[in-house]
Amino acid sequence: QPSPLRKKQSLVVIFSLIPSSSLLHTTMKLSLALATLAVGGASAFSVNQNGGLRTSTQLNVFRQPIMAGNWKMNPTTESDALNLAIGFCALVDTLEDTCGLDESETCTEVVVFPPFPFISKVKDIVSEKGVTVGAQQVYYEDKGAFTGSVAASMVKSVGCEYVLCGHSERRTLFSDSDVNINAKVKKVLEFGMKPILCIGETQEEYDLGITEEVCAMQVSKDLAGVSKKDLENVVLAYEPVWAIGTGLVCDAEDANKVHKFIRTVLAKMYDEEAAQSIRIQYGGSVTPESVDGLMAMSDIDGCLVGGASLFSDKFARICNFKATEE
């Protein structure tokens, strides 16, 4: 029977696609590939010179689903935030096939990311249902004269277990560079928390057909210096920027292809075991209507949810997805 309360099983053949035949696309792909190699080393990205599919060892790996709600700069008051948390928790035990999320490791892991002022009180509410809280971002310095910034130690001290790193809104609106994102990822790991590293292409990059090159470059830069052991505590989130907050959703099969490609990059940076063990979420206008199709894919291990997480019933339904085993 369909049930969300299980670990996803993945049996896949990893492959990489040949470059585009377009001269413009080829030039841009080569430039991005060279940039990736310069940062992440030759093992981070390579092109199949024979022009065919590249296969590698098949692994049978179980990955626990993880759903995350990014509230962004919402809601506007503490009382609204607490009501949202209470409403969601009230639905966790009433929806069909949903269990208390701390009762079994086979349950779907759920994380919410409230704004900083609401974290502590939201945690007090959701922790009773086994839901964890995270911070939407941190600065990479431990302390000092950095007005408006928040340190990893600070969010750790109020109970955060996860931190978002590299979200597209931080990259574009606040000029968060890959160098800074890499420093934040390592700082989050240093303090015993888990980064959810967000990557993804813009609309322009998507139209140019360089999604894979962009993702390869971001992964290799943002995980530079992260050991295989530390990678066990990292979650990736593929978020095509053109689908975030637009109502557009990347087709489930297309998203799954990108997730599979990301694993080929990780296999070159680390090894096949690490690539198949890491959880990769999809993010970008995820809704109750689209979640089942997304979660039916072999390499999509959860969702990073924006707008829908601000509605307790919608987010509860997303966490209670009904995907079938492949």
Side-chain angles (χ1 to χ4, degrees), residues 52-69:
L53 297 181
R54 181 191 299 262
T55 60
S56 59
T57 304
Q58 295 185 355
L59 295 177
N60 198 3
V61 179
F62 291 93
R63 299 185 293 266
Q64 184 181 15
I66 177 170
M67 294 296 185

Side-chain angles (χ1 to χ4, degrees), residues 100 102 128 138 142 152 163 170 180 183 204 227 241 258 294:
D102 58 349
E128 295 182 4
V138 295
D142 290 334
V163 179
R170 300 298 309 182
N180 289 347
E204 181 181 10
S227 68
V241 179
V258 178
L294 290 165

Side-chain angles (χ1 to χ4, degrees), residues 88 91 95 288-289 291-292 312-322:
F88 170 69
L91 292 174
L95 289 177
E289 293 73 31
V291 65
D292 294 346
S312 57
D313 56 340
K314 291 182 179 181
F315 189 48
R317 172 60 181 85
I318 289 171
C319 294
N320 190 52
F321 66 91
K322 301 181 184 299

Side-chain angles (χ1 to χ4, degrees), residues 33-300:
L34 291 174
T36 302
L37 291 172
V39 175
S43 63
F45 181 78
S46 64
V47 176
N48 186 350
Q49 299 299 326
N50 295 325
L53 297 181
R54 181 191 299 262
T55 60
S56 59
T57 304
Q58 295 185 355
L59 295 177
N60 198 3
V61 179
F62 291 93
R63 299 185 293 266
Q64 184 181 15
I66 177 170
M67 294 296 185
N70 178 17
W71 294 3
K72 306 187 180 185
M73 201 170 74
N74 300 290
T76 57
T77 67
E78 181 184 86
S79 62
D80 287 342
L82 301 185
N83 286 335
L84 175 58
I86 292 169
F88 170 69
C89 288
L91 292 174
V92 170
D93 289 330
T94 60
L95 289 177
E96 183 181 357
D97 293 331
T98 304
C99 68
L101 298 176
D102 58 349
E103 293 177 4
S104 170
E105 66 175 6
T106 59
C107 285
T108 298
E109 184 176 8
V110 178
V111 190
V112 294
F113 292 88
F116 291 127
F118 309 148
I119 288 175
S120 292
K121 290 188 177 180
V122 168
K123 178 182 180 297
D124 291 340
I125 295 170
V126 301
S127 60
E128 295 182 4
K129 299 298 182 182
V131 178
T132 57
V133 296
Q136 295 180 19
Q137 82 104 27
V138 295
Y139 193 48
Y140 52 79
E141 296 288 354
D142 290 334
K143 61 180 180 179
F146 305 104
T147 301
S149 298
V150 175
S153 61
M154 296 175 184
V155 299
K156 173 75 171 179
S157 71
V158 296
C160 288
E161 298 184 31
Y162 283 87
V163 179
L164 295 179
C165 298
H167 192 280
S168 65
E169 290 158 5
R170 300 298 309 182
R171 292 178 188 264
T172 57
L173 299 177
F174 300 95
S175 302
D176 214 355
S177 68
D178 286 305
V179 172
N180 289 347
I181 293 166
N182 176 245
K184 293 177 181 182
V185 167
K186 290 189 284 191
K187 183 60 65 174
V188 169
L189 291 167
E190 177 186 331
F191 278 88
M193 295 179 290
K194 300 177 181 180
I196 295 183
L197 172 59
C198 305
I199 63 171
E201 79 282 4
T202 64
Q203 179 72 62
E204 181 181 10
E205 291 163 341
Y206 174 77
D207 291 340
L208 287 171
I210 56 174
T211 294
E212 292 181 353
E213 286 68 29
V214 170
C215 289
M217 182 170 62
Q218 290 176 339
V219 168
S220 61
K221 285 184 175 183
D222 299 344
L223 291 178
V226 175
S227 68
K228 179 183 175 182
K229 181 65 176 176
D230 281 337
L231 191 69
E232 295 176 2
N233 291 315
V234 176
V235 175
L236 288 180
Y238 167 59
E239 293 193 298
V241 179
W242 49 270
I244 298 175
T246 64
L248 301 174
V249 179
C250 181
D251 179 78
E253 292 186 358
D254 290 339
N256 198 53
K257 290 178 182 178
V258 178
H259 284 220
K260 286 186 175 184
F261 173 77
I262 292 169
R263 296 191 196 279
T264 69
V265 178
L266 292 168
K268 295 176 178 68
M269 293 177 65
Y270 297 95
D271 59 27
E272 195 73 16
E273 179 184 28
Q276 295 304 316
S277 297
I278 194 169
R279 294 181 292 177
I280 306 178
Q281 298 176 302
Y282 169 79
S285 299
V286 177
T287 67
E289 293 73 31
S290 64
V291 65
D292 294 346
L294 290 165
M295 292 304 295
M297 297 294 103
S298 62
D299 284 79
I300 297 179

